[in-house]
Amino acid sequence: MGNGIDEWIASKEEMLKTWRRELHQIAEVGFCEYETTYYIVQQLAELGFTLHTGQAVMEGDARFGVPSADELAAHEQRARDNGVPADFLAGMSGGFTGVVAVLDTGKAGKHTAMRFDIDALPILEEADAVHLPAKEGFRSRNEGMMHACGHDGHATIGLGIAHFIAERKEELKGTYTLIFQPAEEGSRGANAVVKKGWLDGVDQFLSGHLGIRPNPVGTLYSGSTHILATTKIDASFTGKTAHAGMEPHVGKNALLAASSAVLNLHSIAPHGEGATRLNVGRFEAGSGRNIVPGDAFLQFETRGITTEQNHYMKEEAVRRLEGAALMYDVAIDYAIVGEGLAAETDAYFLEKIPKATASSHYITDVHDRMEVNGSEDVTYMMQHVQEQGGLACYMIFGTPLAAGHHHKRFDWDEGALAVAVSALAHILAHE
Amino acid sequence: MGNGIDEWIASKEEMLKTWRRELHQIAEVGFCEYETTYYIVQQLAELGFTLHTGQAVMEGDARFGVPSADELAAHEQRARDNGVPADFLAGMSGGFTGVVAVLDTGKAGKHTAMRFDIDALPILEEADAVHLPAKEGFRSRNEGMMHACGHDGHATIGLGIAHFIAERKEELKGTYTLIFQPAEEGSRGANAVVKKGWLDGVDQFLSGHLGIRPNPVGTLYSGSTHILATTKIDASFTGKTAHAGMEPHVGKNALLAASSAVLNLHSIAPHGEGATRLNVGRFEAGSGRNIVPGDAFLQFETRGITTEQNHYMKEEAVRRLEGAALMYDVAIDYAIVGEGLAAETDAYFLEKIPKATASSHYITDVHDRMEVNGSEDVTYMMQHVQEQGGLACYMIFGTPLAAGHHHKRFDWDEGALAVAVSALAHILAHE
Amino acid sequence: MGNGIDEWIASKEEMLKTWRRELHQIAEVGFCEYETTYYIVQQLAELGFTLHTGQAVMEGDARFGVPSADELAAHEQRARDNGVPADFLAGMSGGFTGVVAVLDTGKAGKHTAMRFDIDALPILEEADAVHLPAKEGFRSRNEGMMHACGHDGHATIGLGIAHFIAERKEELKGTYTLIFQPAEEGSRGANAVVKKGWLDGVDQFLSGHLGIRPNPVGTLYSGSTHILATTKIDASFTGKTAHAGMEPHVGKNALLAASSAVLNLHSIAPHGEGATRLNVGRFEAGSGRNIVPGDAFLQFETRGITTEQNHYMKEEAVRRLEGAALMYDVAIDYAIVGEGLAAETDAYFLEKIPKATASSHYITDVHDRMEVNGSEDVTYMMQHVQEQGGLACYMIFGTPLAAGHHHKRFDWDEGALAVAVSALAHILAHE
Amino acid sequence: MGNGIDEWIASKEEMLKTWRRELHQIAEVGFCEYETTYYIVQQLAELGFTLHTGQAVMEGDARFGVPSADELAAHEQRARDNGVPADFLAGMSGGFTGVVAVLDTGKAGKHTAMRFDIDALPILEEADAVHLPAKEGFRSRNEGMMHACGHDGHATIGLGIAHFIAERKEELKGTYTLIFQPAEEGSRGANAVVKKGWLDGVDQFLSGHLGIRPNPVGTLYSGSTHILATTKIDASFTGKTAHAGMEPHVGKNALLAASSAVLNLHSIAPHGEGATRLNVGRFEAGSGRNIVPGDAFLQFETRGITTEQNHYMKEEAVRRLEGAALMYDVAIDYAIVGEGLAAETDAYFLEKIPKATASSHYITDVHDRMEVNGSEDVTYMMQHVQEQGGLACYMIFGTPLAAGHHHKRFDWDEGALAVAVSALAHILAHE
């Protein structure tokens, strides 16, 4: 059934590039992908998929780190100004972005789910021509938001494979669920998709990422390991301001409490049974130089090579927040604003994918597994599928990188889009 | 010569209140007092003083913590929008605010200088009617800037005593220099006035402050002690970002360096010979939760009961910044953005003022000296005068306080204005 | 009645020197002054005082920081070996050292109490001839214990004034209570003497110290100020050891908890209303380099210019210990092992003493008050007397100093002994 | 050639137990194994090995962490008191302990080296009968020193295999070098043996450890992985003492510098490419509670899964020491007192050992490799052999454990001795 796949893909290469560049220009941060969702729906409209949007996509309460009502409203206004129809927008109101597209071939067969994350980052994209999107005119039009992690590519791959399924639906069997997931950054959206039931009964789950580490176009990793379990925590210390010269003893110093917390968070002992991580990435505190600071805010994350080891880090971290607050007699309030699990690609795919893709001219070099050493909330989906007896895979699609992920000059080779679609198409065809 | 002073002041009470309320509404932060300067010049115009503005007021390079060119330009635009004539504004361009008003009686006599600070704070003033300026309609029209330290009152007192001098110039002797000083907050402006020479040859220097601690209207302190020497420092740590999960060892963690600096700054040993203070009032660091933070910024101040003790604190603080930077292999860059000295009111005034003010009905209760335990850059002027053999005084004018200094509901009793003008007038008349 | 005092003292100078040198050689630390107590009792035996020793001197439970039973037993054995009779020693068993000597003249008059502290320090005395006691053969025979704070002199002054009272008892009126107090170092003994009732009903309390700062012999300060209130705390953190390479996460790191406590103790904000101090003077933790440390021990002290300000420091310190322990999930156990109050010499003495001592040839230079800036548990006695309406005084007896207090080469000029006895004698005679 | 090995070992089981218990009683810390060395020499005397002792064993300057001359002298005196002949002792003077025993069969063949570490730990052994050595009368007679890591067993295994070689020398080929190494604890002795040339030209290197983790007797691991590279550092901070109440600003606080160092050492970022460790195991600082501490001493270690990663930790650690010292203006002096490398057992042994030991009844369960996650200076020998093209192996001999390594109740099953000798004997016989 693999006949003609590469030829078909070759005919779509211009389309893939167009989708990618249009998506790149409407970069939107997590739970605010209003323009992006509308765009995806437009591209999928005629293909025969049943499209689910709005509150059908995610269980609202299971989302982590949803922006404030004010922020959401501002983003909705922006989307309206940029042409998203009011009634479509109304359906997504409150951060209910994303699309689930389902196609049942009507023939007995596996239920295959695929996930493509669609959110961007709060980064001001490079405007200098040294950066290809700037040079070639497809830099983000949403200033301060940028696809700096390749999710524009992931959504494009999803559109590509959707077209493939639509065109080959006579030959294919079983059911196909394509999840265009909001808010992967910060590990915030996947859990809410799982809780809505979209992964229930899935036999085979396919997902992947562009890049991670630089590789030539044509490189494919059949799976991954060392996706770290992670917890994202926001912590606020609230003390009491006072004049620092006249009555320093009256203050309750939240900035000092937070500084002490930082040092003691970073000195949590590593776990003897596998790698752990902690990073305090943001610190904001105080108002004026001569005022004992009454407030402090930290953003940090823990990670562990397994869910258990991340749990150890989280427990230790929370105790340290509480201890630091006690020291300085300030209140501590913390919230878990994101969480990801550890998960492994099933060994099944390490055998299957090299065989399935052997005939593809796009794929020149297949490796076993990449050590990711980062976090991904796709793990909620992988774990849910595996717990039900299904099989889950997280591939890596090779590409050179102009700069590291999350950098304002991050860019990659659009040739990797055809490789990724080819890989997925060959896997689907190889049943 | 004290005859009729109280009566004259009684006739001016409404005028004092009007000045104060108009000044309150045009609150402007240090070196941005464009509207305020114009207002003062208008009120002084007809009195016979020679008025000096623009670059004549301050030595440009001796100013501490001047806002950036962008910030100054934005404030100049705001002043223009609010009606300050373009040519007058042009004379102040670049943060050259403030007024020096000089009147020479033509008769031999002392050269008396007086200082009135005119800047406000970057505080959003309370809008609720519980706050008198909000209730009575004279809340700051410059949103985000507020007279929360009484300098609107100080400028008003300056206008009042200017009118007194003008009306009594036939009776008075010697020369009178009234300094309407910018940027007292942060101890940034006084040094530049001194360096311009305005205190050279001054025999007697009078200044003061409303409030400090709550007292009934009518209370007067003839001087002050424990004005703390101070240094204001901004410190930037610059390290190197890295992905916190994949390659934490590659980062140079500026946030950790700054946190360590904070704890070790606050553990500088107190000086055995008198009170010292240190306060880190602001901390900002990092970009994203999963990025090893490559930058961190601290704002802090040191204080000492004497200039020497503040020097000890400053030296220790700088060494700790350097040590923290060395620990984490990050660069440290710091700037002194404000500085104040210690100074004492001369004992001469503790005798003179009670006598001079004995006949005032406004002044009901005269004390010796108040312990300030705060900092004031008026000390540059006091010390300069004293070093030349002159005498210097810093009075406190009693008033109840609705909330502490620098609080968004800070307010005081306008009755204190007449008391202050009465005190100064009686002192001038009592030669 | 002052007639002949100086002449009498002149006749005793050799005796003073002998007492001092013999006491110096039997230096003993607090609550272990077994030889010293016996020596004092021997010298007072024939003078007509009623002598109280053993459990009559101090309320046992009100003593702070009593050595362990093993340590006390070792010191008792040492005293036995050095010739203290077994039955006398038995009366002091368990750290009940010190002497209270009372003489009632039988005539109506003031009840005057005087206090002389008698303990030494755990310091190995300099053996080189550069140190006078070594050169002249009266270095401490109790190795590792040394009179490095002048209490050998204080006890000598007490013996001197006891002889004066005994010889002049016909001329004197009222009652005289001489307290030879144990364990002043660490502020451990005075409270227990007060609790036993020895200061009840006292009208006039006299005490003092040699040195503090170097001054010529003949200098007398009629009182003192800035005796700091203080609390002495021992803190033990107990966690759990673990192999640092294999299972670091299993340990509960007491050393890290204590290190964090130290930094955060030293960053307690100074009190705005007067000087405060904190010093962690000892840190011991851990067993081996490759073991997560399961135990840590800190010795520290807080001080404040008033009892209230010391209380603030103590409260803050205890909270920080608890917070540090919570951070690292270790147990914290702390004990107050010493405490001293703030106290001021009554102004009465600043007038009286210069007059009373005016005729003494020994006293050449009388000052008002010295700022001590150290702590002394004599304050328990001063405060108790003052609370009952009595008057209390803490003088300073001037002497040059060979090295600072608590230094292994500390030494002073024995000429100060006559000055001190002369001062006390003239005060007693001047009623 | 494996015929009869198990029978021969069975005949030696009592002897093994006797050696072990006698060695256990003369436990001695590193470089002080005077009695132990003498004992080993006695047991090897008649076997035909050439015995090298004294300065022939180790390159003196390449030893890490040699005790002070005073400590060595005290240990030598103890050994003399315990019966080591004066002339034998003289040959080891200055910490030149250990034995190298060489037997050349005279036949062409491999040069096989084996290493047995012989030192004990500074631990007071459990005296309660709950501890088998106490119950059965072979507790350490050298109070405060204890074989709490099984090196008594290792030395016993060495004696056992020496007897095996001696008895079978007609059948064996090549050369056998048995190294009884001093001072493994703290990674101090192996480097000095290598530098003396004892591993030059070795083809096959065998070594191992009892226990590590509890396993049944009969368990054998054919090799090990994750022996961590390590560096042992002693750091001394030297500041300046001062009276904490009177002149805290005069002190240079070494205790605070060390506390700050500890927190910042423990917050060195983990290496992204493999496990790293740091442990501050000892902290001693200060003299008295009221003295600003002028000295502080830390003992710590770094580790890394590779030598490169340990190097990263060491570099970071040293910079933090220097930064902490700079912060507090104290001097820092540090010394590397031990160092170990990372090393891996060659895969060759993972195949060979199961085959070679297949016929042993003592060995019931052979595993591939154990993850050690601890450090061992045997790695100097392994790396040296491997760099010359030889093969190196570090086995683990299973035994239940009464308590963890380095615990005062550490004990193991003496049945493991026969297993270990059987394993080595079968390997030697299997050429």
Side-chain angles (χ1 to χ4, degrees), chain A residues 119-384:
Chain A
D119 57 322
L121 286 152
I123 292 174
L124 181 63
E125 186 163 13
E126 175 65 68
D128 190 279
V130 70
H131 180 57
L132 191 87
K135 183 179 171 199
E136 303 209 348
F138 64 97
R139 182 173 171 272
S140 172
R141 293 194 309 255
N142 289 331
E143 283 291 292
M145 299 192 282
M146 172 188 174
H147 272 297
C149 198
H151 300 189
D152 49 347
H154 299 170
T156 297
I157 294 164
L159 293 178
I161 201 68
H163 279 70
F164 175 79
I165 292 166
E167 297 198 12
R168 299 252 179 148
K169 72 181 146 192
E170 300 310 319
E171 301 169 45
L172 295 165
K173 288 177 288 185
T175 300
Y176 297 88
T177 297
L178 277 56
I179 299 163
F180 293 85
Q181 178 206 309
E184 187 281 327
E185 297 293 345
S187 294
R188 297 179 291 147
N191 183 45
V193 174
V194 172
K195 288 291 185 299
K196 201 69 185 183
W198 290 111
L199 281 302
D200 295 354
V202 166
D203 301 302
Q204 171 171 265
F205 177 79
L206 301 173
S207 58
H209 207 293
L210 287 159
I212 304 288
R213 288 179 191 80
N215 273 297
V217 167
T219 310
L220 176 70
Y221 285 77
S222 301
S224 55
T225 184
H226 286 209
I227 300 184
L228 304 176
T230 187
T231 302
K232 316 297 187 186
I233 298 181
D234 283 358
S236 295
F237 295 87
T238 307
K240 185 175 164 192
T241 57
H243 191 282
M246 289 184 229
E247 44 176 27
H249 63 289
V250 169
K252 305 289 186 190
N253 196 322
L255 188 156
L256 262 171
S259 295
S260 188
V262 166
L263 271 171
N264 290 290
L265 284 168
H266 276 274
S267 55
I268 296 175
H271 199 288
E273 291 163 20
T276 45
R277 298 278 183 273
L278 184 143
N279 189 59
V280 179
R282 280 287 297 156
F283 191 134
E284 278 184 81
S287 51
R289 190 191 308 279
N290 63 341
I291 305 294
V292 176
D295 63 278
F297 175 71
L298 300 179
Q299 286 190 315
F300 70 97
E301 60 173 20
T302 61
R303 303 194 200 220
I305 194 82
T306 68
T307 302
E308 176 204 350
Q309 277 151 28
N310 181 55
H311 182 75
Y312 156 77
M313 291 298 288
K314 179 171 65 169
E315 295 281 297
E316 287 293 315
V318 167
R319 194 183 319 97
R320 274 151 215 241
L321 296 177
E322 289 168 348
L326 175 56
M327 276 188 173
Y328 288 89
D329 201 17
V330 302
I332 172 68
D333 191 35
Y334 68 89
I336 292 173
V337 297
E339 205 148 38
L341 311 175
E344 294 282 312
T345 295
D346 285 293
Y348 165 85
F349 293 101
L350 308 185
E351 286 202 28
K352 172 172 180 174
I353 291 177
K355 285 182 205 157
T357 60
S359 65
S360 169
H361 300 308
Y362 284 104
I363 299 162
T364 54
D365 196 13
V366 185
H367 297 269
D368 244 33
R369 293 203 280 205
M370 183 185 278
E371 281 198 14
V372 171
N373 282 327
S375 301
E376 241 287 15
D377 68 356
V378 73
T379 50
Y380 279 100
M381 299 182 184
M382 293 173 75
Q383 182 173 300
H384 190 76

Side-chain angles (χ1 to χ4, degrees), chain D residues 6-227:
Chain D
D6 278 9
E7 291 71 16
W8 178 84
I9 290 172
S11 75
K12 297 293 183 193
E13 284 203 44
E14 268 313 299
M15 177 58 42
L16 291 170
K17 185 166 150 184
T18 299
W19 283 331
R20 186 264 166 149
R21 293 190 172 197
E22 290 183 357
L23 285 162
H24 192 85
Q25 292 175 75
I26 56 172
E28 294 169 293
V29 295
F31 298 125
C32 302
E33 307 94 334
Y34 298 113
E35 298 181 58
T36 304
T37 298
Y38 181 64
Y39 182 87
I40 291 167
V41 164
Q42 297 299 105
Q43 304 312 315
L44 296 175
E46 309 297 323
L47 302 183
F49 283 82
T50 307
L51 301 183
H52 305 266
T53 58
Q55 303 208 11
V57 174
M58 296 182 288
E59 187 66 37
D61 293 349
R63 297 174 299 170
F64 291 114
V66 179
S68 70
D70 282 1
E71 289 172 278
L72 289 171
H75 280 286
E76 291 171 21
Q77 183 60 49
R78 186 250 310 143
R80 197 173 295 118
D81 294 347
N82 291 346
V84 178
D87 56 347
F88 188 87
L89 197 53
M92 300 186 285
S93 184
F96 284 93
T97 49
V99 184
V100 178
V102 180
L103 188 148
D104 184 344
T105 63
K107 285 163 279 180
K110 283 183 184 170
H111 181 178
T112 297
M114 285 179 268
R115 178 272 213 161
F116 311 97
D117 42 355
I118 65 173
D119 57 320
L121 286 151
I123 292 174
L124 181 64
E125 187 163 13
E126 174 66 69
D128 191 278
V130 70
H131 181 56
L132 191 86
K135 183 179 171 200
E136 304 210 347
F138 65 95
R139 182 175 171 274
S140 173
R141 293 194 308 256
N142 289 332
E143 282 292 292
M145 299 191 282
M146 172 187 175
H147 272 297
C149 198
H151 300 188
D152 49 347
H154 299 171
T156 298
I157 294 164
L159 293 177
I161 201 69
H163 278 71
F164 175 78
I165 292 166
E167 298 198 12
R168 299 255 177 146
K169 71 180 147 197
E170 299 311 319
E171 303 169 41
L172 294 167
K173 288 176 289 184
T175 300
Y176 297 88
T177 297
L178 277 57
I179 300 164
F180 293 85
Q181 179 206 308
E184 187 280 326
E185 297 293 345
S187 294
R188 298 179 292 146
N191 182 45
V193 173
V194 172
K195 288 290 185 299
K196 201 69 183 183
W198 290 112
L199 280 305
D200 294 354
V202 165
D203 301 300
Q204 171 171 265
F205 177 79
L206 301 173
S207 59
H209 207 292
L210 288 158
I212 305 289
R213 287 180 191 80
N215 272 297
V217 167
T219 309
L220 176 70
Y221 285 78
S222 302
S224 54
T225 184
H226 286 207
I227 300 183

Side-chain angles (χ1 to χ4, degrees), chain D residues 118-395:
Chain D
I118 65 173
D119 57 320
L121 286 151
I123 292 174
L124 181 64
E125 187 163 13
E126 174 66 69
D128 191 278
V130 70
H131 181 56
L132 191 86
K135 183 179 171 200
E136 304 210 347
F138 65 95
R139 182 175 171 274
S140 173
R141 293 194 308 256
N142 289 332
E143 282 292 292
M145 299 191 282
M146 172 187 175
H147 272 297
C149 198
H151 300 188
D152 49 347
H154 299 171
T156 298
I157 294 164
L159 293 177
I161 201 69
H163 278 71
F164 175 78
I165 292 166
E167 298 198 12
R168 299 255 177 146
K169 71 180 147 197
E170 299 311 319
E171 303 169 41
L172 294 167
K173 288 176 289 184
T175 300
Y176 297 88
T177 297
L178 277 57
I179 300 164
F180 293 85
Q181 179 206 308
E184 187 280 326
E185 297 293 345
S187 294
R188 298 179 292 146
N191 182 45
V193 173
V194 172
K195 288 290 185 299
K196 201 69 183 183
W198 290 112
L199 280 305
D200 294 354
V202 165
D203 301 300
Q204 171 171 265
F205 177 79
L206 301 173
S207 59
H209 207 292
L210 288 158
I212 305 289
R213 287 180 191 80
N215 272 297
V217 167
T219 309
L220 176 70
Y221 285 78
S222 302
S224 54
T225 184
H226 286 207
I227 300 183
L228 304 176
T230 187
T231 302
K232 316 296 187 187
I233 298 181
D234 283 358
S236 295
F237 295 88
T238 308
K240 186 175 163 193
T241 58
H243 190 284
M246 288 184 230
E247 44 176 27
H249 62 289
V250 169
K252 305 288 185 191
N253 196 322
L255 188 155
L256 262 170
S259 295
S260 188
V262 166
L263 272 170
N264 290 290
L265 284 168
H266 276 274
S267 55
I268 296 175
H271 199 289
E273 292 164 19
T276 45
R277 299 278 185 272
L278 184 144
N279 189 60
V280 179
R282 281 286 297 154
F283 191 134
E284 277 185 83
S287 51
R289 189 191 308 278
N290 63 340
I291 304 294
V292 176
D295 64 278
F297 176 71
L298 300 179
Q299 286 190 316
F300 69 98
E301 61 174 22
T302 60
R303 304 196 200 221
I305 194 83
T306 67
T307 302
E308 176 204 349
Q309 277 150 29
N310 181 55
H311 182 76
Y312 157 76
M313 291 299 287
K314 179 172 65 168
E315 295 281 296
E316 286 293 314
V318 167
R319 195 183 320 98
R320 274 151 214 242
L321 295 177
E322 289 169 349
L326 176 57
M327 276 186 173
Y328 288 90
D329 202 16
V330 302
I332 171 70
D333 190 37
Y334 68 90
I336 293 174
V337 298
E339 205 146 38
L341 311 175
E344 294 282 311
T345 295
D346 285 292
Y348 166 85
F349 293 101
L350 308 185
E351 287 202 27
K352 174 172 178 172
I353 291 177
K355 285 182 204 156
T357 60
S359 65
S360 169
H361 299 308
Y362 284 104
I363 298 162
T364 53
D365 197 13
V366 185
H367 296 269
D368 242 34
R369 293 203 282 203
M370 183 185 277
E371 280 199 14
V372 171
N373 282 326
S375 302
E376 241 286 15
D377 67 357
V378 73
T379 50
Y380 279 100
M381 299 182 184
M382 294 173 75
Q383 182 174 299
H384 190 77
V385 169
Q386 291 169 335
E387 282 173 358
Q388 299 170 94
L391 296 162
C393 178
Y394 188 76
M395 284 166 268

